[in-house]
């Protein structure tokens, strides 16, 4: 193929909405909504404005707060996110296209794939987590040859001012992320082969040459191809006894589907878009407390605890689409997270963030955002340390809550989540400990009610890459993660039928059916390619093991700075505040964190 790329540099102007006052102990979301009065003039002085948020809840909050502060905007602003009905989303898109709306508060639902006229101004509320996402959103304005794109960055807490400076630097250097492709997705290949079979049929040799010419299947072996052929004709080794899995037949050298029922079911199931599903959180006696995303609950082993709705709950078991729990008296537990809260820094973003922190540490500050952060920077330096590019900062201190161990790898939330479990596991091998964990894009916290043997852990080569995958799988419930991943693979591959229009199969039945097939493959067909795909995608995409290994190698080569501050630092406080959000009720958490901020500022 030939790539055509225009030698044109797009000019993007980044303007940061600077808070009037900088809090020395920041916490996520605290100052964002207070800056609404600075956003209203942007909307009023522009013909059209898009305000991007990272979560649906944040989108709802900002829409209503804008109307509270500027009721004159009623009828000229709208909201757009994935939980809104399709009809309303289409109305908003049409109204935006026709110039009938002055502003739309939205999530990534308006990032791509929606056609409307270029808007005058873009406001990014909170960090976008990635450079390419920020540039894509900025490009919604000035969407004409030679026109300048203009985007406002509104921080939701003080540390996000560093992100603003990092984003501007990344845009200047054209340092955008690459898309990480999926390889050897056998579920997609099976669906493609079945689609050909239900139409005019296909010649296996011709299609094999076509498939291996693609990037995703360039490494597909002949044996793997023949496995896929056997799978669509007989169901493979473990399902050959069941007639419903014998879908395709070979007639006159072509693979085709002759059963009308099978063909109709396949046509109803074409597509590869799957979303995260919710699990009900229920007491053992049956009362439902609420719901969490399965990607969170699948990481928890039975007997472990997590905070949800102000309660500390112990997971008893996962049964179909229910997480069965009981109250726990333990003080430690993981923190429940939802989709938007799980968004994590890209590797490019983390590298630029470390670059800006290195500028702060070396005293070569030029960005207006970093100059504004001077009170926070001075307090961090006074109480602890600001790491340079070749340093790893670890803080260890005690409060009324217990003993806090905070690491700052600066590698993004998802990597920090996996690393928190790994470090907790390795420390527990030295001396048994129970930990509560919390993490954000800057670092992670391990909290224990007993002293933590951090010095012994560092001396035992805490960041050793030996048995890394084994230790990660031991610290995180990788088997359950693969089981949940397999459900989507089974749907795409046609192993599970989601139902006809208007008569969908209930989620618990889907999970029950896919779990049964998963167990059959585990016990009787461990080399099944769909089963292997489930485990590979957990390792490569959910745990990001390639990036994880690079991080561990970087940490081994960095100088560890173990700081023992007397009080929580500006870097540690937002991680602690995130943990408290799940342990306290909504009414109490804001006041509690505000009081903590006052106590620890003195």
């Amino acid at each position: 193929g030939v790539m055509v790329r225009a030698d044109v540099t797009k000019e993007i102007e980044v303007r940061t909405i600077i808070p009037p006052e900088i809090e020395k102990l920041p916490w996520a979301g605290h100052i964002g909504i207070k800056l609404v009065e600075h956003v209203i003039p942007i909307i009023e002085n522009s013909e059209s404005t898009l305000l991007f948020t990272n979560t649906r809840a944040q989108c709802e909050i900002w829409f209503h707060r804008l109307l509270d502060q500027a009721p004159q905007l009623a009828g000229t602003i709208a909201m757009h996110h994935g939980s809104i009905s399709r009809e309303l989303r289409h109305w908003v898109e049409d109204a935006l296209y026709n110039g009938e709306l002055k502003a739309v508060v939205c999530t990534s639902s308006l990032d791509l794939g929606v056609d409307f006229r270029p808007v005058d101004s873009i406001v990014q509320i909170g960090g976008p987590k990635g450079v390419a996402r920020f540039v894509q959103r900025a490009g919604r304005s000035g969407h004409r040859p030679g026109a300048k794109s203009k985007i406002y960055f509104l921080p939701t807490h003080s540390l996000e001012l560093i992100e603003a400076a990092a984003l501007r630097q990344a845009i200047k250097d054209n340092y955008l992320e690459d898309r990480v492709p999926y390889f050897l997705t056998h579920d997609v290949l099976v669906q493609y082969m079945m689609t050909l079979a239900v139409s005019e049929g296909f010649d296996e040799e011709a299609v094999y040459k076509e498939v291996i010419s693609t990037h995703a299947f360039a490494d597909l072996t002949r044996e793997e191809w023949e496995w896929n052929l056997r799978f669509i004709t007989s169901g493979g080794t473990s399902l050959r006894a069941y007639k419903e899995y014998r879908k395709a037949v070979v007639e006159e050298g072509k693979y085709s589907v002759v059963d009308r029922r099978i063909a109709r079911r396949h046509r109803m199931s074409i597509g590869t878009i799957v979303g995260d599903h919710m699990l009900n959180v229920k007491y053992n006696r049956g009362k439902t407390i609420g719901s969490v995303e399965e990607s969170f609950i699948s990481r928890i082993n039975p007997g472990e605890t997590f905070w949800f709705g102000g309660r500390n709950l112990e997971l008893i078991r996962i049964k179909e689409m229910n997480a069965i729990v009981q109250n726990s008296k333990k003080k430690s537990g993981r923190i429940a997270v939802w989709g938007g809260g799980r968004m994590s820094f890209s590797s490019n973003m983390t590298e630029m963030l470390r670059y800006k922190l290195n500028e702060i540490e070396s005293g070569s500050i030029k960005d207006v955002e970093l100059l504004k952060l001077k009170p926070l920077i001075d307090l961090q330096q006074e109480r602890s340390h600001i790491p340079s590019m070749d340093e790893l900062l670890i803080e260890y201190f005690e409060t009324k809550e217990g003993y806090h161990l905070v690491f700052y790898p600066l590698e993004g939330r998802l990597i920090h989540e996996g690393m928190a479990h790994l470090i907790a596991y390795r420390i527990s091998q030295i001396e048994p400990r129970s930990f509560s964990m919390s993490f954000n894009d800057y670092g992670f916290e391990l909290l224990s009610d007993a002293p933590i043997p951090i010095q012994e852990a560092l001396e035992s080569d805490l960041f050793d890459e030996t048995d890394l995958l084994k230790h990660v799988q031991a610290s995180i419930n990788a088997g359950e993660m693969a089981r949940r991943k397999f459900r989507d693979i089974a749907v795409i591959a046609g192993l599970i039928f989601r139902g006809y229009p208007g008569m969908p199969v209930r989620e618990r039945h889907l999970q029950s059916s896919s779990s049964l097939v998963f167990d059959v493959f585990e016990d009787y067909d461990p080399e099944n390619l769909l089963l292997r795909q489930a485990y590979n995608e957990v390792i490569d995409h959910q745990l990001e093991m390639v990036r994880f290994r690079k991080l561990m190698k970087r940490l081994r080569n960095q100088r560890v700075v173990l700081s023992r501050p007397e009080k929580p630092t500006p870097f540690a406080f937002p991680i602690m505040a995130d943990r408290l959000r799940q342990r306290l009720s909504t009414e109490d958490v804001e006041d509690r964190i505000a009081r903590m901020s006052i106590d620890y500022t003195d």
Side-chain angles (χ1 to χ4, degrees):
V2 177
M3 178 179 290
V4 178
R5 177 177 293 171
D7 187 19
V8 177
T9 301
K10 177 66 174 177
E11 186 178 359
I12 299 176
E13 180 183 355
V14 180
R15 297 183 182 181
T16 303
I17 300 174
I18 304 289
E21 296 182 6
I22 295 297
E23 293 183 325
K24 294 181 180 180
L25 294 179
W27 39 290
H30 183 47
I31 65 173
I33 203 67
K34 293 183 177 181
L35 298 178
V36 66
E37 61 186 37
H38 296 270
V39 175
I40 293 171
I42 296 174
I43 296 174
E44 291 179 335
N45 295 328
S46 305
E47 286 191 18
S48 56
T49 303
L50 288 182
L51 297 95
F52 281 101
T53 64
N54 288 334
T55 68
R56 299 173 189 186
Q58 193 180 31
C59 181
E60 297 270 356
I61 291 170
W62 269 87
F63 175 75
H64 293 293
R65 188 59 63 91
L66 282 169
L67 284 178
D68 290 342
Q69 294 289 319
Q72 69 273 17
L73 293 176
T76 63
I77 68 171
M79 182 169 45
H80 191 287
H81 62 67
S83 291
I84 293 175
S85 68
R86 181 180 300 178
E87 292 76 16
L88 183 54
R89 291 202 307 271
H90 287 173
W91 178 87
V92 172
E93 293 161 15
D94 291 341
L96 192 60
Y97 183 86
N98 295 326
E100 299 170 7
L101 290 174
K102 197 163 183 61
V104 175
V105 187
C106 57
T107 61
S108 57
S109 58
L110 283 184
D111 264 357
L112 296 167
V114 180
D115 183 29
F116 50 81
R117 292 180 181 179
V119 297
D120 290 338
S121 301
I122 305 293
V123 179
Q124 170 64 46
I125 299 172
K129 309 299 183 182
V131 183
R133 183 181 295 113
F134 190 68
V135 170
Q136 168 67 30
R137 292 176 175 180
R140 286 297 194 179
S141 73
H143 200 60
R144 297 179 301 276
K148 178 195 294 185
S149 293
K150 183 169 57 179
I151 184 167
Y152 294 86
F153 182 92
L154 187 147
T156 59
H157 65 89
S158 300
L159 285 178
E160 285 187 347
L161 288 173
I162 305 177
E163 297 174 36
L167 285 165
R168 187 183 293 108
Q169 184 70 48
I171 292 172
K172 179 182 177 182
D173 297 343
N174 196 31
Y175 192 50
L176 306 182
E177 296 89 358
D178 294 323
R179 287 294 183 93
V180 179
Y182 281 71
F183 295 101
L184 296 178
T185 49
H186 294 281
D187 55 344
V188 176
L189 179 56
V190 165
Q191 186 181 116
Y192 176 63
M193 294 164 69
M194 282 295 298
T195 301
L196 295 177
V198 300
S199 54
E200 298 178 356
F202 68 90
D203 175 77
E204 66 103 356
E205 190 62 36
V207 174
Y208 174 66
K209 291 179 180 179
E210 175 193 14
V211 168
I212 62 174
S213 70
T214 66
H215 183 70
F217 292 98
D219 295 328
L220 183 73
T221 66
R222 190 76 199 189
E223 291 75 18
E224 290 171 333
W225 170 250
E226 290 174 355
W227 182 94
N228 281 276
L229 290 174
R230 289 194 300 273
F231 184 79
I232 66 172
T233 54
S234 68
T237 303
S238 52
L239 299 177
R240 65 174 65 251
Y242 302 95
K243 183 179 179 180
E244 62 185 290
Y245 296 111
R246 297 180 223 150
K247 298 181 178 181
V249 297
V250 183
E251 292 183 345
E252 299 180 359
K254 280 192 172 184
Y255 286 78
S256 60
V257 173
V258 296
D259 189 311
R260 291 185 178 181
R261 178 173 171 271
I262 291 175
R264 183 170 63 252
R265 280 193 165 198
H266 176 76
R267 291 189 180 100
M268 293 290 183
S269 303
I270 292 176
T272 59
I273 297 177
V274 289
D276 207 357
H277 297 285
M278 306 297 290
L279 270 71
N280 293 319
V281 180
K282 301 179 68 174
Y283 281 123
N284 200 22
R285 296 182 179 179
K287 180 182 177 182
T288 299
I289 309 168
S291 59
V292 294
E293 289 180 355
E294 66 177 9
S295 57
F296 164 74
I297 204 71
S298 66
R299 294 171 180 261
I300 298 179
N301 292 303
E304 294 182 344
T305 59
F306 64 100
W307 288 95
F308 178 79
R311 303 178 179 94
N312 197 13
L313 304 173
E314 178 184 332
L315 178 66
I316 299 175
R317 63 184 177 276
I318 296 175
K319 183 179 180 182
E320 297 177 350
M321 299 305 291
N322 297 307
I324 309 301
V325 300
Q326 63 185 11
N327 287 327
S328 173
K329 294 182 179 180
K330 293 181 181 179
K331 294 182 179 180
S332 60
R334 302 185 190 181
I335 308 299
V337 292
W338 283 263
R342 276 202 327 275
M343 288 180 65
S344 180
F345 277 164
S346 66
S347 57
N348 291 40
M349 192 68 201
T350 59
E351 188 172 339
M352 297 309 301
L353 191 71
R354 293 194 297 272
Y355 178 79
K356 287 300 174 183
L357 283 175
N358 191 70
E359 287 185 351
I360 294 173
E361 192 274 339
S362 63
S364 56
I365 300 176
K366 299 177 182 178
D367 300 282
V368 62
E369 295 90 353
L370 302 186
L371 292 171
K372 184 68 176 180
L373 274 179
K374 190 175 187 307
L376 183 151
I377 292 169
D378 290 345
L379 183 61
Q380 177 68 29
Q381 285 278 31
E382 176 187 330
R383 292 188 178 180
S384 178
H385 182 71
I386 291 180
S388 64
M389 290 285 280
D390 61 351
E391 292 177 334
L392 168 65
L393 174 62
I394 302 175
E395 294 176 346
Y396 181 47
F397 54 90
E398 182 183 1
T399 69
K400 294 178 181 178
E401 293 183 287
Y403 296 85
H404 305 255
L405 186 62
V406 190
F407 291 71
Y408 301 99
L410 300 167
E411 194 61 43
R413 182 188 185 93
L414 290 181
I415 294 294
H416 291 161
E417 181 179 357
M419 190 174 179
H421 290 106
L422 173 68
I423 297 300
Y425 172 80
R426 288 183 169 178
I427 291 177
S428 296
Q429 301 303 300
I430 299 172
E431 196 171 313
R433 283 288 181 276
S434 177
F435 293 105
S436 287
M437 303 178 194
S438 185
F439 18 79
N440 65 11
D441 285 308
Y442 297 83
F444 62 89
E445 174 202 47
L446 302 180
L447 173 63
S448 177
D449 56 4
I452 303 172
I454 179 58
Q455 198 64 53
E456 296 92 320
L458 291 173
E459 291 172 358
S460 67
D461 212 354
L462 191 60
F463 308 116
D464 188 10
E465 297 172 64
T466 305
D467 294 327
L468 179 60
L469 180 58
K470 178 182 177 181
H471 288 178
V472 169
Q473 290 177 327
S475 62
I476 294 178
N477 194 354
E480 186 62 34
M481 292 172 68
R483 181 185 297 274
R484 297 287 160 175
K485 172 61 70 174
F486 181 78
R487 192 268 313 283
D488 293 339
I489 291 173
V491 169
I492 293 171
L495 282 169
I496 308 296
F497 181 55
R498 287 181 287 189
Y500 294 105
M503 296 182 293
V505 176
R506 291 187 177 184
E507 291 296 339
R508 67 171 181 267
H509 294 154
L510 286 178
Q511 184 58 48
S512 177
S513 299
S514 65
S515 291
L516 179 61
V517 176
F518 181 87
D519 289 336
V520 169
F521 288 168
E522 281 267 71
D523 295 338
Y524 302 105
D525 191 9
E527 296 304 313
N528 187 287
L529 295 185
L530 297 177
L531 181 69
R532 281 168 46 188
Q533 180 185 336
Y535 278 100
N536 289 340
E537 289 187 6
V538 166
I539 292 169
D540 295 339
H541 294 275
Q542 286 188 252
L543 298 178
E544 293 190 78
M545 284 306 298
V546 172
R547 186 175 169 188
F548 206 122
R549 288 186 183 279
K550 289 181 179 179
L551 169 62
M552 297 297 282
K553 184 177 181 179
R554 171 166 70 83
L555 296 182
R556 281 177 59 83
N557 294 323
Q558 287 184 318
R559 184 174 73 88
V560 174
V561 178
L562 178 58
S563 174
R564 299 176 185 266
E566 294 182 1
K567 293 182 178 181
T569 66
F571 284 6
F573 190 79
I575 304 177
M576 297 169 62
D578 282 350
R579 172 170 44 78
L580 286 176
R581 287 180 188 276
Q582 299 303 321
R583 294 185 59 176
L584 300 175
S585 65
T586 305
E587 296 78 13
D588 295 337
V589 67
E590 302 291 330
D591 291 339
R592 172 70 183 277
I593 296 175
R595 288 198 303 271
M596 281 176 52
S597 178
I598 294 172
D599 292 342
Y600 293 143
T601 299
D602 296 337

